Amino acid sequence: MVTAGIDLADAGGLAAVSMRAVATALGMAAGSLYRHLSSRDDLVALMVDRCVGEVLSAEGEPALMRPYPEGPGDWRDAVVLLARRQLELYRRHPWLVDATAHPGTPGPNTLAWFDTCLRVLEPVPAPVPAKFEAIAMVTGVVSLFARAEAASGPVHFDHVDPAAYPHLAAAFAAPPVATPRQDLFERTLRGLLTGLLTTDSD
Amino acid sequence: MVTAGIDLADAGGLAAVSMRAVATALGMAAGSLYRHLSSRDDLVALMVDRCVGEVLSAEGEPALMRPYPEGPGDWRDAVVLLARRQLELYRRHPWLVDATAHPGTPGPNTLAWFDTCLRVLEPVPAPVPAKFEAIAMVTGVVSLFARAEAASGPVHFDHVDPAAYPHLAAAFAAPPVATPRQDLFERTLRGLLTGLLTTDSD
DNA sequence: TGTAAACTGCAAACACTGTTCGCGGTTTTG
DNA sequence: CAAAACCGCGAACAGTGTTTGCAGTTTACA
């Protein structure tokens, strides 16, 4: 059910997961799906929550419930690690970026995810709303990077008018330089975290 | 045409702007719209570009072509000002966040917007791709803030199980503290800019 | 074991979406 | 005045999510 939806979404994006498509993938009729779910949004919510479960139990069994609090590093390291796993998840299922754009009531795995984030942020002396803001911003930045990675290429600025847009034209006149920036993701996140969860006395 | 679409979108979101709705708002039939545009995505692209035009000629005539380069401040100030105007635009037309999620070929106003951004970033000694990355990230952060503002409230975590999600439950046990953070937007942007467009020698 | 209840799937229908097409009328062009 | 371009109409098509009566199967209970 949600597995079929996930497979369909992985192959053809969120638009490819229609009730009839999921139904025929399961050898059923379209209306039969409503015996198990109440709407299509329900289904994508279940799909999202299952994928979040993927990153929770990554690689092994309760593997993720472990490594964060006991690591010797700073809490920022843990958040960056968490974000990196989320980015890998978005790479595995690009439609997640669109599916989580308008979040609904979170499922159990999503709640567990928030719980883990809060546990990681436990040593941070910041008010709870600030922590929620920080979590939201981190996942937002992750989705931005995922979108940027997925949408690389199809944006064409071909032949802009040098008279109307001089700076744009000048920017494309120079030969494209390959960008070596590798740690952009981590640098962005660390800057964001210290900006959001840190007073001036830190 | 695009004006009717914008009004409809402002009232009921992007989903409310259907061909038939726009047509009846103009006193026409649905199919008649295809005399002037080739698809619905075309229409939303035109709507987006017109709104970008709003922020370009804000308040007066060619008012925006002025203030940025001659301001005495640092280039970061100019970018923050640009981002702030964009945030106000997103507040005025919340559907823009969804409409710009999957960008297509940019319209004239969007090109002018990019040109302005590049002009503002002219004194920055960074390679062109890095500047494009920075612009994309800034508008991404702006859309994140716009989304966060628009989606405040409907997310309910009512009565989470304290046994399954201890940290979440503990977070909600404490009385909610009002967050006074006001400059969060600007701090985030400044951190992002220095992280993306600055070498260690700056 | 027999019966009743619960569950599950099917096919058809409804309202809605974006989009296409052939027709007639109006306006502009030569 | 004629011809070409344009414009809007209404009907149709394929597709969407969702609802609803009907049958078949499985489960639970007495």
Side-chain angles (χ1 to χ4, degrees), chain A:
Chain A
M1 189 100 144
V2 315
T3 307
I6 291 178
D7 292 345
L8 249 51
D10 286 343
L14 246 193
V17 53
S18 72
M19 292 293 134
R20 283 163 178 85
V22 181
T24 58
L26 265 69
M28 304 198 316
S32 306
L33 297 178
Y34 289 83
R35 296 286 173 190
H36 309 275
L37 12 99
S38 62
S39 74
R40 193 192 104 114
D41 292 349
D42 240 51
L43 187 139
V44 309
L46 291 177
M47 288 162 56
V48 167
D49 203 61
R50 168 161 313 180
C51 288
V52 174
E54 272 185 35
V55 71
L56 276 183
S57 58
E59 293 300 304
E61 280 66 321
L64 184 121
M65 295 313 273
R66 281 296 166 64
Y68 300 121
E70 22 224 14
D74 170 54
W75 56 271
R76 271 167 275 240
D77 299 338
V79 175
V80 168
L81 203 156
L82 226 51
R84 191 155 270 146
R85 291 206 187 180
Q86 204 177 352
L87 181 59
E88 290 169 9
L89 179 71
Y90 282 164
R91 275 199 267 250
R92 219 160 26 222
H93 310 289
W95 50 272
L96 271 180
V97 186
D98 308 75
T100 55
H102 299 288
T105 65
N109 287 330
T110 305
L111 288 178
W113 164 267
F114 271 106
D115 197 78
T116 301
C117 289
L118 283 179
R119 180 161 53 97
V120 166
L121 291 184
E122 211 167 29
V124 182
V128 170
K131 293 185 178 181
F132 273 100
E133 280 181 355
I135 294 174
M137 275 301 158
V138 168
T139 76
V141 168
V142 169
S143 76
L144 285 185
F145 273 84
R147 230 190 267 278
E149 288 181 5
S152 79
V155 192
H156 284 328
F157 285 88
D158 280 343
H159 284 311
V160 300
D161 183 7
Y165 317 105
H167 304 85
L168 253 183
F172 286 117
V177 188
T179 37
R181 41 190 65 267
Q182 198 173 9
D183 53 345
L184 193 150
F185 184 60
E186 184 159 347
R187 269 194 298 157
T188 302
L189 283 183
R190 297 198 111 91
L192 197 72
L193 288 175
T194 64
L196 294 187
L197 294 179
T198 280
T199 69
D200 295 355
S201 65
D202 188 59

Side-chain angles (χ1 to χ4, degrees), chain B residues 8 19 23 37 47 72 92-93 98 141 143-144 195:
Chain B
L8 249 52
M19 293 292 133
L37 12 100
M47 288 163 56
R92 218 158 29 220
H93 310 288
D98 307 75
V141 168
S143 75
L144 284 186

Side-chain angles (χ1 to χ4, degrees), chain B residues 15-199:
Chain B
V17 52
S18 72
M19 293 292 133
R20 283 161 178 87
V22 181
T24 59
L26 265 68
M28 304 198 316
S32 305
L33 297 178
Y34 289 83
R35 297 284 172 190
H36 310 273
L37 12 100
S38 62
S39 73
R40 192 192 105 112
D41 293 349
D42 241 49
L43 186 135
V44 310
L46 291 178
M47 288 163 56
V48 167
D49 203 62
R50 166 157 319 175
C51 289
V52 174
E54 271 185 35
V55 72
L56 276 182
S57 58
E59 295 299 302
E61 280 65 324
L64 184 120
M65 295 313 272
R66 282 296 167 65
Y68 300 121
E70 23 224 14
D74 171 55
W75 57 270
R76 272 167 273 239
D77 299 338
V79 176
V80 168
L81 202 156
L82 226 52
R84 193 153 269 148
R85 291 207 189 182
Q86 204 176 353
L87 181 58
E88 290 168 10
L89 179 72
Y90 281 164
R91 276 198 267 249
R92 218 158 29 220
H93 310 288
W95 50 272
L96 273 179
V97 186
D98 307 75
T100 55
H102 299 290
T105 66
N109 287 330
T110 305
L111 287 178
W113 164 267
F114 271 105
D115 197 78
T116 301
C117 290
L118 283 178
R119 180 161 53 96
V120 166
L121 292 183
E122 211 168 31
V124 182
V128 170
K131 293 185 179 182
F132 274 99
E133 282 180 356
I135 294 174
M137 274 302 159
V138 167
T139 76
V141 168
V142 169
S143 75
L144 284 186
F145 273 84
R147 230 190 266 278
E149 289 182 4
S152 79
V155 192
H156 284 328
F157 284 89
D158 281 344
H159 284 311
V160 300
D161 184 7
Y165 316 106
H167 304 84
L168 253 183
F172 285 118
V177 187
T179 38
R181 39 190 66 265
Q182 198 174 9
D183 54 343
L184 192 151
F185 183 61
E186 184 159 347
R187 269 194 297 160
T188 302
L189 283 182
R190 297 197 111 91
L192 197 72
L193 288 176
T194 63
L196 294 186
L197 294 178
T198 279
T199 68

